[in-house]
Amino acid sequence: MTDEVRKRVFGYLGLAKRAGKLVSGEMMAEDTIRRGKARYVLIAGDASENTRSKFHRMCTAHDTPVSDFADRESLGHAVGTEYRSVCVMTDEGLARAVARFFTSE
């Protein structure tokens, strides 16, 4: 993934956060996925193996698209916190916009 594409994905994350269409943090993300409100899930590549496998299994079970992206510090910075392992987009349009960067690889 090029730096330009990474910047665009981070931009969409920031936009989703400002629009109130992004949930971050493991507990809130898990709840959002289980309630069927998640439209796209991004997991930090440096999250623990346990966290990554748990969210991949959960997303598969709930038919939610998921991708590994960036690192915890970068995800956190994009959404205005220090570190984040998981970010969940709840808006369909924003989720589609982000998903196209991962399906074209």
Side-chain angles (χ1 to χ4, degrees), residues 56-104:
H56 277 281
R57 280 192 313 270
M58 191 181 308
C59 288
T60 299
H62 291 275
D63 198 29
T64 302
V66 60
S67 296
D68 290 345
F69 176 69
D71 56 63
R72 293 178 306 137
E73 185 176 1
S74 298
L75 279 180
H77 181 72
V79 299
T81 61
E82 193 170 343
Y83 298 102
R84 280 295 180 246
S85 293
V86 182
C87 290
V88 178
M89 301 184 92
T90 60
D91 180 80
E92 187 67 40
L94 290 170
R96 271 196 309 268
V98 168
R100 70 188 167 105
F101 294 114
F102 293 97
T103 57
S104 64

Side-chain angles (χ1 to χ4, degrees), residues 8-99:
R8 293 186 70 187
V9 172
F10 284 131
Y12 280 118
L13 285 173
L15 181 63
K17 177 68 174 177
R18 288 187 302 277
K21 301 294 183 177
L22 184 116
V23 175
S24 64
E26 291 186 39
M27 289 174 46
M28 290 180 61
E30 190 173 335
D31 183 55
T32 302
I33 294 166
R34 289 184 186 203
R35 287 186 296 121
K37 303 290 184 186
R39 299 295 171 251
Y40 204 88
V41 178
L42 293 173
I43 303 172
D46 63 346
S48 73
E49 184 60 38
N50 187 38
T51 297
R52 289 177 43 229
S53 63
K54 175 176 87 172
F55 278 98
H56 277 281
R57 280 192 313 270
M58 191 181 308
C59 288
T60 299
H62 291 275
D63 198 29
T64 302
V66 60
S67 296
D68 290 345
F69 176 69
D71 56 63
R72 293 178 306 137
E73 185 176 1
S74 298
L75 279 180
H77 181 72
V79 299
T81 61
E82 193 170 343
Y83 298 102
R84 280 295 180 246
S85 293
V86 182
C87 290
V88 178
M89 301 184 92
T90 60
D91 180 80
E92 187 67 40
L94 290 170
R96 271 196 309 268
V98 168

